[in-house]
Amino acid sequence: MKKTSFQDYLPFLFLALVAIIGVFVPNGTLFADPAGKYNSGDIAWVLVASCLVFLMTPGLSFFYGGMINRKNVINTMMQSFIATGIISVLWVVVGFSLAFGTSVHGIIGDPSTYFFFKGVASGEPWAGGPTIPLLLFALFQMKFAIITPALVVGATAERIRFTSYILFMVLFSLLVYAPIAHWTWHPDGILAKLGVLDFAGGTVVHISAGCAALAGVLVLKRRKDHIDKKELQPANIPFVLLGTGLLWFGWFGFNAGSSLGANALAASAFATTNTASAAAGLSWVFFDVIRGRKPSALGFCIGAVVGLVAITPAAGFVGIPQSIMLGFIAAIVSNLVAHYKTKTAIDDTLDVFPCHGVGGMVGMLLTGVFATTAVNSLGKDGLIYGHFELLKDQICGLLIVVVYSFSVSYGIFKLINLIHPLRVSDEDESLGLDVSQHNENYHPALLAVHDNGALKEQMVD
């Protein structure tokens, strides 16, 4: 066993402190709903949608784990999956307050508003979801907060320390995710007042994560295998297919659930989500064939996910026929950016920026083109209906989020590197992060034991 340092005790001590404080936080009674505002159908649907969105994080783990090199499968999956623990606790303590608490000049929520979920169970429903309890709205939004930092994992994979990434998740959630969520989805947020439309997280989730991913790879630098131009085969294509299926399934909760009710808008968002993803998966594969490649399972899966990313901001604002074009365009643009990236020194391991960052940007811009009040009276008419104003607002919102997310995330990675090294050692990188970070191995019969720099291998049943 390695010798523990004071730094090793800090996460445990912090969690213990949170647990102790929680004991003394008073509990309010459940909101009684004397006016009969609650709708049981809406509550049932958003409960199901919350479960679906939660399922997306394990799905993301399989999606990333299947594409990564075999010696880093467990580490990559664990980095995504552990967000379910870290962000769940952080959201209860202060995250929900920062995102949806009383607005401070439209920039951030007052951290004391719902500190340790104070008043969440007993509070009035959220203005945008008057027929469901505030607690349910908070839990639904928690699932979005969980998956966002988990998306960044795919860019920094195969070289970042596990403990460093945990610290990144915490700081990113507090300093990047929560402010952007407040700007976009709080009625007093600066982007909401600007007129930016983001139905389910184009800016909040995908652009913020994609830009953070780009910042991370620039700080971490290139992997040794990337410098040596080694092409490493994906560990498990069936994992990628499984992950894509779970993501696609969960995305119905992600987008259709954002209507916050069992209504016609939820059905429309459900349909546009499926249609855009289907079109994007086909678009990616067919475009690969035009460029001389064979149609691949990996290509269809990546394209389908890009379509899901792109339709996210637009799902509740565009018509079903127009979602085909949205998915078609998004897949081609992301495909081209991913291809161009291979000609540069940027080492985004699993193309998080081209797929999530660029896909989210395309979706935000095309929302400004295809949005129509015929689908959602709370939205606006886009460019194809003769109105340029929405596209202008979308461009402004996009630029604000790109600059903020990239610059703050870059600073977070730099700060962490000063406190605790971001990168693993060259030896650990060559050995693989499954063994060096977790003392586990994806190989079904071989257990590699890493003990103070000494590697021993032993066969196990």
Side-chain angles (χ1 to χ4, degrees):
M1 293 180 63
K2 78 180 187 71
K3 186 177 179 180
T4 57
S5 64
F6 178 70
Q7 284 186 335
D8 296 322
Y9 285 93
L10 285 177
F12 178 83
L13 293 174
F14 180 77
L15 180 60
L17 178 63
V18 167
I20 292 169
I21 294 173
V23 171
F24 299 99
V25 175
N27 293 300
T29 56
L30 290 178
F31 184 71
D33 188 29
K37 296 179 180 178
Y38 289 167
N39 181 291
S40 59
D42 292 347
I43 292 173
W45 165 235
V46 180
L47 280 169
V48 171
S50 300
C51 295
L52 290 172
V53 181
F54 177 85
L55 187 64
M56 292 173 67
T57 301
L60 181 71
S61 296
F62 277 102
F63 184 71
Y64 281 169
M67 287 194 289
I68 209 70
N69 183 261
R70 191 178 184 89
K71 63 186 178 181
N72 297 302
V73 171
I74 295 171
N75 173 261
T76 302
M77 295 181 75
M78 179 60 173
Q79 282 184 41
S80 287
F81 203 78
I82 201 169
T84 58
I86 295 168
I87 306 304
S88 291
V89 173
L90 192 64
W91 190 251
V92 168
V93 175
V94 73
F96 183 58
S97 293
L98 294 174
F100 295 98
T102 303
S103 186
V104 180
H105 306 298
I107 297 174
I108 195 67
D110 183 345
S112 67
T113 308
Y114 303 115
F115 188 61
F116 274 86
F117 261 30
K118 177 191 67 177
V120 172
S122 58
E124 291 268 356
W126 182 251
T131 60
I132 63 173
L134 178 62
L135 176 59
L136 179 54
F137 174 75
L139 294 175
F140 179 66
Q141 288 295 334
M142 176 193 289
K143 311 310 177 186
F144 286 71
I146 287 171
I147 197 171
T148 305
L151 292 171
V152 185
V153 168
T156 60
E158 299 193 328
R159 60 204 186 274
I160 192 170
R161 290 179 186 269
F162 183 69
T163 50
S164 297
Y165 197 82
I166 288 178
L167 182 55
F168 167 77
M169 283 188 174
V170 172
L171 295 177
F172 173 86
S173 296
L174 296 177
L175 302 178
V176 178
Y177 180 85
I180 295 176
H182 187 83
W183 301 348
T184 307
W185 288 333
H186 194 287
D188 295 325
I190 57 175
L191 294 186
K193 287 189 170 182
L194 181 64
V196 173
L197 297 182
D198 184 356
F199 191 72
T203 54
V204 182
V205 177
H206 298 292
I207 295 178
S208 69
C211 292
L214 181 61
V217 301
L218 293 178
V219 175
L220 278 163
K221 309 301 183 186
R222 302 165 69 186
R223 292 165 294 158
K224 294 177 65 178
D225 288 339
H226 190 266
I227 294 172
D228 296 338
K229 297 183 178 180
K230 290 183 180 178
E231 288 199 21
L232 301 175
Q233 294 301 312
N236 194 323
I237 297 296
F239 271 18
V240 181
L241 289 162
L242 173 61
T244 303
L246 291 173
L247 284 168
W248 200 329
F249 181 64
W251 226 291
F252 295 131
F254 200 84
N255 287 356
S258 293
S259 68
L260 299 180
N263 49 40
L265 184 59
S268 178
F270 190 109
T272 56
T273 298
N274 188 73
T275 305
S277 182
L282 295 174
S283 178
W284 190 289
V285 169
F286 296 161
F287 191 63
D288 273 351
V289 171
I290 290 175
R291 296 172 57 213
R293 297 182 177 182
K294 293 185 178 180
S296 67
L298 192 63
F300 181 79
C301 288
I302 294 172
V305 170
V306 169
L308 292 167
V309 169
I311 194 61
T312 293
F317 298 115
V318 304
I320 299 167
Q322 289 74 38
S323 67
I324 300 174
M325 178 59 77
L326 192 149
F328 175 77
I329 294 174
I332 294 173
V333 174
S334 288
N335 190 309
L336 289 171
V337 174
H339 175 70
Y340 174 75
K341 189 219 69 175
T342 62
K343 301 180 181 297
T344 71
I346 297 174
D347 184 13
D348 182 344
T349 312
L350 301 181
D351 289 338
V352 175
F353 179 73
C355 294
H356 289 275
V358 174
M361 294 175 198
V362 172
M364 284 296 295
L365 294 177
L366 293 183
T367 301
V369 175
F370 296 125
T372 172
T373 52
V375 171
N376 189 337
S377 60
L378 298 179
K380 300 177 184 178
D381 287 324
L383 188 64
I384 66 168
Y385 302 102
H387 299 273
F388 176 71
E389 182 182 356
L390 176 58
L391 180 58
K392 179 191 70 176
D393 293 340
Q394 297 297 97
I395 293 171
C396 290
L398 185 153
L399 292 174
I400 291 170
V401 171
V402 167
V403 172
Y404 181 82
S405 178
F406 177 82
S407 58
V408 176
S409 297
Y410 190 89
I412 290 172
F413 278 113
K414 283 288 191 181
L415 175 63
I416 294 172
N417 202 35
L418 292 175
I419 300 171
H420 185 64
L422 274 176
R423 281 194 73 137
V424 298
S425 66
D426 289 345
E427 178 191 357
D428 286 350
E429 184 179 338
S430 298
L431 178 64
L433 273 62
D434 289 356
V435 173
S436 67
Q437 301 295 293
H438 309 289
N439 198 27
E440 295 175 316
N441 201 314
Y442 175 64
H443 194 287
L446 181 66
L447 176 65
V449 182
H450 188 253
D451 188 9
N452 288 330
L455 174 64
K456 297 181 290 183
E457 294 181 350
Q458 63 186 55
M459 300 302 295
V460 295
D461 296 330

